[in-house]
């Protein structure tokens, strides 16, 4: 069993990653911390509680709200992709009787802010806790800057972020999570704990289409399946407009998937650095993935390939089937 902490700017694909992790007995989700990214952190926390409210959980992870702005740059969001509320607009959906269709779980937040909660959990499970950031790296970097000694106890960081050999999704150069807070990302890559990346180079190979989701749901109408349908709709329509396919990339679930089935991925070691100036290459992750030409001591393992069909089957078995 792997103990993990998920750090999320919970948007649509983040919610799928949280559900995927909580439905996987191989993982114990000790805590979930929120950070501004897709939308403002207060909305991210509401989205997390809404997502948890759609699951029948026996145990609720510690929940801590984190940083509302990047280390130095102004906040950039991606509401155009995830909807104004970050969950495809469903946070305000009403039932016919006027009550909220997706009420947030009534659960107290930790009194510790994100970075402090991360430090506390790392201290509690030193050498064991795996951090899984699937949003901007602001909380993780703040924890490293505030208490580097404690943060050396992180077992590994498995993050969704970066792009190397295809176009970015914010600019042609950069992927959103890194672009949103490049200074934080540089802190993380230079800190010295093991980092594994699932960049756009692999997440763009894994698309969950509306047709596939409907086929898997197979007319079932459980609360969770309805949430999956409703929360993904806006993102899928956006994707259809841009890419011609009604679906969404499983960016964040892929980071969870790496933890569960690493054999589905091809991985290379690389020395990765981040372009931090706020100019044309802001947030670009620069790494030599040609493993035979190691130029500097590697500081990250980069997923460069994935068995998309096997991953999608595994993901759907866990998230959709049986519900
Ligand atoms: O670039 C994709 C990443 O940005 C995902 O984590 C998505 O949720 C957004 O945060
Ligand atoms: Ca995310």
């Amino acid at each position: 069993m792997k103990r993990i902490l998920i750090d999320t700017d919970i948007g649509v694909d983040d919610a799928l990653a949280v559900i995927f992790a909580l439905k996987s007995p191989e993982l114990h989700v000790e805590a979930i911390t929120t950070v501004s990214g897709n939308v403002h952190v207060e909305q991210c926390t509401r989205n997390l509680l809404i997502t948890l409210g759609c699951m029948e959980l026996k145990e609720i992870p510690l929940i801590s709200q984190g940083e509302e702005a990047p280390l130095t740059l102004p906040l950039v969001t991606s509401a155009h992709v995830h909807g104004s509320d970050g969950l495809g607009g469903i946070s305000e959906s009403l039932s016919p009787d006027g009550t909220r269709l997706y009420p947030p779980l009534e659960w107290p937040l930790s009194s510790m802010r994100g970075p402090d909660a991360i430090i506390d959990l790392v201290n509690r499970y030193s050498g064991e806790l795996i951090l899984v950031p699937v949003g901007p790296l602001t909380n993780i970097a703040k924890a490293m800057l505030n208490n580097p000694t404690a943060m050396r106890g992180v077992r590994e960081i498995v993050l969704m972020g970066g792009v190397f050999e295809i176009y970015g999704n914010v600019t042609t150069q950069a992927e959103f999570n890194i672009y949103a807070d490049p200074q934080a990302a540089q802190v993380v890559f230079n800190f010295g704990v093991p980092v594994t990346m699932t960049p756009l180079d692999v997440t763009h190979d894994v698309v969950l289409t509306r047709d596939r989701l409907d086929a898997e749901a197979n007319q079932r109408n459980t609360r969770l399946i309805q949430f999956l349908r409703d929360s993904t709709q806006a993102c899928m329509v956006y994707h259809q407009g841009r890419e011609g396919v009604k679906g969404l990339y499983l960016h964040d679930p892929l980071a969870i998937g790496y933890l569960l089935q690493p054999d589905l991925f091809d991985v290379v070691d690389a020395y990765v650095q981040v372009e931090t100036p706020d100019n044309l290459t802001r947030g670009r992750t620069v790494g030599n993935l040609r493993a035979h030409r190691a130029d500097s001591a590697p500081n990250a393992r980069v997923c460069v390939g994935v068995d998309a069909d096997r991953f999608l089957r595994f993901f759907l078995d866990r998230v959709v089937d049986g519900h």
Side-chain angles (χ1 to χ4, degrees):
M1 185 269 293
K2 294 178 178 175
R3 291 186 193 277
I4 71 170
L5 178 149
I6 299 174
D7 186 67
T8 174
D9 61 335
I10 184 156
V12 174
D13 62 314
D14 304 65
L16 299 178
V18 166
I19 295 165
F20 188 20
L22 290 170
K23 284 183 172 296
S24 296
E26 305 90 333
L27 306 176
H28 191 264
V29 183
E30 297 295 340
I32 303 176
T33 50
T34 56
V35 64
S36 282
N38 289 320
V39 288
H40 186 272
V41 68
E42 287 180 1
Q43 185 61 45
C44 292
T45 304
R46 265 194 295 277
N47 292 347
L48 174 58
L49 292 169
I50 286 171
T51 303
L52 299 179
C54 292
M55 302 178 74
E56 285 148 27
L57 295 171
K58 294 185 181 62
E59 187 187 355
I60 313 282
L62 178 138
I63 298 172
S64 165
Q65 182 163 302
E67 298 298 319
E68 61 181 337
L71 292 188
T72 59
L73 293 168
L75 177 60
V76 170
T77 64
S78 57
H80 59 293
V81 179
H82 296 263
S84 56
D85 66 350
L87 265 190
I90 69 165
S91 64
E92 300 305 322
S93 300
L94 299 178
S95 302
D97 65 3
T99 59
R100 282 185 189 283
L101 195 55
Y102 296 106
L105 179 74
E106 293 188 13
W107 187 257
L109 303 186
S110 164
S111 58
M112 294 181 285
R113 282 178 60 78
D116 295 334
I118 291 168
I119 292 166
D120 181 70
L121 268 292
V122 172
N123 275 331
R124 201 181 311 174
Y125 301 109
S126 190
E128 194 182 349
L129 189 68
I130 299 169
L131 304 184
V132 188
V134 290
L137 292 162
T138 315
N139 284 339
I140 311 296
K142 272 270 175 96
M144 291 175 168
L145 294 169
N146 293 348
N147 194 332
T149 305
M151 290 299 283
R152 299 252 170 261
V154 171
R155 173 177 163 186
E156 181 181 9
I157 294 174
V158 179
L159 66 88
M160 189 280 139
V163 61
F164 295 91
E165 300 190 334
I166 61 173
Y167 275 158
N169 59 1
V170 182
T171 66
T172 57
Q173 303 298 306
E175 177 278 326
F176 176 79
N177 289 340
I178 308 299
Y179 177 88
D181 196 343
Q183 281 72 18
Q186 188 70 331
V187 167
V188 172
F189 283 110
N190 289 339
F191 187 73
V193 302
V195 172
T196 299
M197 303 173 71
T198 54
L200 294 185
D201 305 67
V202 289
T203 65
H204 270 199
D205 287 345
V206 191
V207 176
L208 175 63
T209 63
R210 164 61 66 212
D211 290 347
R212 182 71 184 271
L213 179 59
D214 288 347
E216 291 290 326
N218 190 20
Q219 311 302 323
R220 277 170 293 165
N221 245 339
T222 66
R223 180 163 190 66
L224 182 60
I225 285 180
Q226 202 49 50
F227 170 84
L228 295 175
R229 283 199 186 98
D230 292 350
S231 65
T232 58
Q233 176 63 9
C235 213
M236 289 186 170
V237 169
Y238 171 81
H239 186 270
Q240 184 172 32
R242 283 202 30 144
E243 321 263 346
V245 172
K246 191 170 186 179
L248 62 85
Y249 293 118
L250 291 183
H251 298 297
D252 297 343
L254 225 59
I256 300 296
Y258 175 81
L259 282 171
L260 292 166
Q261 294 217 342
D263 61 312
L264 296 183
F265 296 80
D266 299 321
V267 185
V268 299
D269 290 336
Y271 176 64
V272 176
Q273 290 291 279
V274 180
E275 286 279 86
T276 52
D278 189 8
N279 57 22
L280 277 179
T281 56
R282 165 180 163 173
R284 179 156 188 77
T285 43
V286 183
N288 174 359
L289 303 190
R290 304 296 176 208
H292 63 281
R293 274 182 34 215
D295 37 17
S296 303
N299 62 345
R301 292 172 57 71
V302 181
C303 295
V304 292
V306 62
D307 184 330
D309 292 340
R310 281 178 59 200
F311 171 79
L312 205 49
R313 178 66 270 149
F314 179 65
F315 169 78
L316 291 164
D317 286 346
R318 287 289 167 92
V319 171
V320 179
D321 289 3
H323 298 278

